[in-house]
Amino acid sequence: MLQQTVGEVVRERAALHPGTEAYVYPEYGIRKTYKEFDEETDRLAKAFIGIGIEKGEHVAIWSDNKREWLLSQFATGKMGGVLVTVNTSYQSSELEYLLKQSDSTTLILGEEFKGSNYIDIINTVCPELKNSQKGRVQSAELPKFKRVIVMSENQYPGIFTWSEFEAFANDVSDEQLEDRFQSMDPDDVINIQYTSGTTGFPKGVMLTHLNVVNNGKLVGDTMNLTEQDRLCIPVPFFHCFGCVLGTMAAVTHSTTMVIAEQFEPKRVLQMVQDEKCTGLHGVPTMFIAELNHPDFASFDTSTLRTGIMAGSPCPIEVMKKVISDMGATEITIAYGQTESSPVITQTRADDDIEKRVSTVGKPHAEVEVKIIDPATGETVPAGVPGELCTRGYHIMKGYYQNEEATKNAIDPEGWLHTGDIAVEDEDGYIAITGRIKDMVIRGGENIYPREIEEFLYSHSAIQDVQVVGVPDPKYGEELMAWIILKEGESLDAEELRDYCMGKISRHKIPRYFEFTKEYPMTASGKIQKFKLRELSVELTQKSEV
């Protein structure tokens, strides 16, 4: 276990590999070495101190994968500010909730994202901003809130430009930074990440230096990362996938980060080719978009070796293509959740294809896992499904200002209850078969949607499939499959039913098939099954009227 703060990791890597490229933004021609990265984050850490941010103070950050985001992550790690990550798709009520619940004093933001004007939104949330002196906001709704910094040089009332913010570094000596740097402890909270809030209001997960540094290190170890590797990161920084499995895994191994501000499949393929990336991260929908891009065959991805597919279950056929068509022969699957900072289990580079496509691997070193009967709390034997629980260095400090939710998630013995249904095989590999709340009970039979999804993926015309349960007066629940077809393919419900007959049990054949072009998604690329379920209920009720 590394007993290091985020800042200590940056300094160590800069000393070990000063000339290795730390990060590249191909879209802007920006390239910086680890020595330069260390110097940049030192200067920005001074700016945070100079502008008045105390150790332990909460700094919210809201943008896509901009360079300022990356530098802020590691600069706060050098001076003790707690970075509160904001989902890029948030609108005014969600932003207001987060700023208030997290007690953030500061907001760093981009100007806009995919049609959302962030400046307009913050002015809606904090109308006092327009008439405030920069750094002296007094908000009736947000009593702790003081300052806003924009990642640009455009002037807005009450908001510091980026260079105005950076200039605060001039007022802080090396000794002042060193004092702050040395005052930090690996057990200090460094990051608050808000869960996506698929049930109730989002909760702020408190993660420490120890959590994220070691999780990043173990993720990179499992991928065999070194200073020779170049990791393409198109997944969002505001999510653990971006800022732990991405940036932290890279920095703990002196690996070069090749960063896409936003995901766009062709741009990512171009980056992999031009920057000779050896690793590529993505959720399954991203890999599907890359593989199905009409120009896919024109890009050379032969430098790829590794990467991580995570965020939602990986279809077997997609995994096979990432290995055969993209050349990422050592691609790994990682599984976890924000509350476990995030990775619990991961497949290994030398696992056979069967283990890599049918399981989420084995637990990381220093991580305990057990699978329990949710009804009794007793540990179940291998081969029996139950709820996955985990314990170790990686468990969050708790939910910010939400003791009750913390107690519901972490039991008195320190086990985090994930809410995921898992099965362990005789070799210790774990398969995730669904969420406890996704399980469909049809006529007394437990059905796991994942199993039916995997079967339907084997149809050559299907690009993506999601299966949900809908209420049924006779059986309690019935299955509905949402299908995305490959370009140029056609298929109807009757043909799909025929395809299923004799291959899967009759009670597992979906009663309803719905064809769609896209699924409701979170900003981090996860499919929102609860929304699909709501749509399914609406559709099935209409069809029965």
Side-chain angles (χ1 to χ4, degrees):
M1 298 295 295
L2 296 177
Q3 294 294 326
Q4 284 180 313
T5 63
V6 168
E8 285 169 338
V9 173
V10 177
R11 288 195 178 173
E12 176 190 78
R13 293 290 132 185
L16 284 170
H17 301 108
T20 299
E21 279 184 341
Y23 68 88
V24 179
Y25 275 86
E27 296 161 82
Y28 303 101
I30 298 169
R31 297 176 181 277
K32 298 289 178 179
T33 64
Y34 268 93
K35 180 175 184 291
E36 290 169 321
F37 181 53
D38 186 34
E39 290 164 354
E40 283 182 317
T41 49
D42 266 1
R43 178 163 174 79
L44 204 60
K46 285 181 177 181
F48 278 115
I49 295 170
I51 208 169
I53 290 167
E54 301 292 339
K55 182 181 166 186
E57 197 169 313
H58 296 179
V59 178
I61 188 159
W62 191 30
S63 86
D64 51 12
N65 293 0
K66 290 190 169 25
R67 177 173 169 231
E68 292 87 350
W69 206 117
L70 176 74
L71 295 177
S72 296
Q73 180 188 357
F74 290 90
T76 50
K78 286 181 166 181
M79 55 64 64
V82 176
L83 202 66
V84 180
T85 61
V86 186
N87 188 315
T88 47
S89 66
Y90 270 12
Q91 297 298 307
S92 56
S93 67
E94 296 156 314
L95 180 69
E96 182 177 347
Y97 169 82
L98 179 140
L99 292 174
K100 190 183 284 185
Q101 206 281 331
S102 68
D103 291 325
S104 290
T105 64
T106 306
L107 175 64
I108 302 172
L109 80 173
E111 290 174 292
E112 56 87 40
F113 176 78
K114 292 188 175 175
S116 285
N117 185 318
Y118 284 1
I119 304 295
D120 286 351
I121 293 173
I122 186 58
N123 278 304
T124 302
V125 169
C126 180
E128 299 91 343
L129 182 62
K130 279 185 173 168
N131 301 311
S132 294
Q133 211 178 324
K134 293 181 183 184
R136 297 203 178 163
V137 179
Q138 289 186 309
S139 164
E141 289 297 317
L142 305 168
K144 302 263 176 94
F145 196 56
K146 293 178 191 169
R147 58 185 82 82
V148 182
I149 301 159
V150 67
M151 299 175 180
S152 88
E153 294 311 307
N154 292 327
Q155 289 284 350
Y156 300 100
I159 298 177
F160 290 108
T161 66
W162 191 255
S163 60
E164 285 170 348
F165 165 50
E166 282 191 313
F168 280 95
N170 301 332
D171 306 330
V172 178
S173 67
D174 291 348
E175 292 73 31
Q176 282 171 284
L177 174 59
E178 206 50 39
D179 284 349
R180 184 73 72 87
F181 189 93
Q182 296 302 335
S183 75
M184 289 190 294
D185 185 278
D187 274 324
D188 292 341
V189 172
I190 191 61
N191 190 209
I192 297 179
Q193 301 221 3
Y194 277 77
T195 57
S196 51
T198 51
T199 54
F201 285 107
K203 298 183 285 285
V205 175
M206 295 186 286
L207 300 176
T208 65
H209 293 272
L210 195 79
N211 288 151
V212 298
V213 165
N214 285 287
N215 208 265
K217 181 188 183 293
L218 288 163
V219 163
D221 288 352
T222 310
M223 293 167 68
N224 300 321
L225 288 183
T226 72
E227 71 280 4
Q228 303 296 315
D229 282 298
R230 300 173 71 78
L231 178 63
C232 184
I233 308 175
V235 289
F237 286 166
F238 76 79
H239 191 271
C240 271
F241 199 168
C243 68
V244 182
L245 286 72
T247 60
M248 199 60 69
V251 172
T252 49
H253 295 80
S254 308
T255 294
T256 303
M257 299 171 270
V258 178
I259 297 164
E261 276 194 353
Q262 293 178 23
F263 173 73
E264 197 282 310
K266 188 171 183 177
R267 191 183 300 150
V268 170
L269 291 166
Q270 190 81 51
M271 284 181 181
V272 169
Q273 172 182 284
D274 295 353
E275 293 295 329
K276 299 187 165 38
C277 294
T278 58
L280 173 61
H281 282 357
V283 296
T285 49
M286 288 180 174
F287 283 103
I288 289 168
E290 290 150 9
L291 289 161
N292 285 288
H293 194 279
D295 299 335
F296 173 74
S298 67
F299 290 99
D300 178 5
T301 61
S302 61
T303 52
L304 282 180
R305 167 184 74 78
T306 186
I308 292 175
M309 207 184 297
S312 57
C314 163
I316 288 170
E317 295 306 313
V318 176
M319 183 64 144
K320 286 178 177 169
K321 282 187 172 169
V322 171
I323 293 169
S324 63
D325 300 4
M326 280 186 160
T329 52
E330 295 179 21
I331 188 96
T332 72
I333 295 282
Y335 157 77
Q337 50 188 216
T338 310
E339 291 86 343
S340 55
S341 67
V343 177
I344 300 168
T345 70
Q346 193 173 355
T347 58
R348 307 314 195 242
D350 56 357
D351 281 340
D352 63 47
I353 178 83
E354 192 47 48
K355 290 292 189 205
R356 277 193 276 169
V357 294
S358 61
T359 79
V360 291
K362 288 179 169 180
H364 273 176
E366 312 289 339
V367 166
E368 286 182 85
V369 161
K370 67 176 180 179
I371 296 170
I372 63 164
D373 180 328
T376 65
E378 296 297 310
T379 302
V380 298
V384 177
E387 183 184 17
L388 187 139
C389 300
T390 184
R391 182 167 71 175
Y393 81 88
H394 57 312
I395 303 303
M396 64 173 175
K397 268 270 172 90
Y399 295 116
Y400 185 67
Q401 292 198 336
N402 197 336
E403 225 170 288
E404 190 187 343
T406 304
K407 279 182 187 161
N408 289 338
I410 303 169
D411 69 26
E413 293 174 350
W415 291 97
L416 173 73
H417 291 246
T418 64
D420 287 324
I421 300 167
V423 183
E424 189 173 359
D425 69 15
E426 59 285 351
D427 301 323
Y429 285 80
I430 288 168
I432 303 297
T433 55
R435 295 284 293 162
I436 287 175
K437 60 177 186 281
D438 284 346
M439 187 176 78
V440 176
I441 304 173
R442 183 192 180 276
E445 297 265 13
N446 290 358
I447 301 173
Y448 300 104
R450 176 81 199 274
E451 183 191 346
I452 294 124
E453 288 163 1
E454 287 295 357
F455 169 72
L456 290 170
Y457 271 120
S458 62
H459 194 295
S460 60
I462 290 177
Q463 178 175 309
D464 210 345
V465 54
Q466 295 293 319
V467 173
V468 296
V470 290
D472 181 76
K474 184 176 178 185
Y475 292 106
E477 283 185 287
E478 278 282 11
L479 297 172
M480 183 165 194
W482 288 79
I483 310 284
I484 296 179
L485 294 174
K486 289 179 181 167
E487 199 70 41
E489 296 284 357
S490 67
L491 201 57
D492 65 27
E494 217 39 62
E495 289 170 302
L496 271 176
R497 271 189 207 98
D498 290 344
Y499 181 74
C500 295
M501 292 299 278
K503 298 193 188 86
I504 56 172
S505 305
R506 211 173 260 274
H507 69 276
K508 292 179 183 173
I509 299 174
R511 179 171 170 189
Y512 307 100
F513 289 93
E514 190 67 31
F515 296 87
T516 185
K517 295 281 185 211
E518 58 186 8
Y519 301 124
M521 310 278 265
T522 67
S524 55
K526 285 187 181 180
I527 293 160
Q528 293 175 304
K529 272 209 162 171
F530 75 102
K531 285 199 176 165
L532 269 184
R533 212 173 286 116
E534 288 166 7
L535 284 169
S536 304
V537 171
E538 277 176 39
L539 284 170
T540 53
Q541 283 173 348
K542 272 183 200 162
S543 67
E544 281 157 19
V545 169

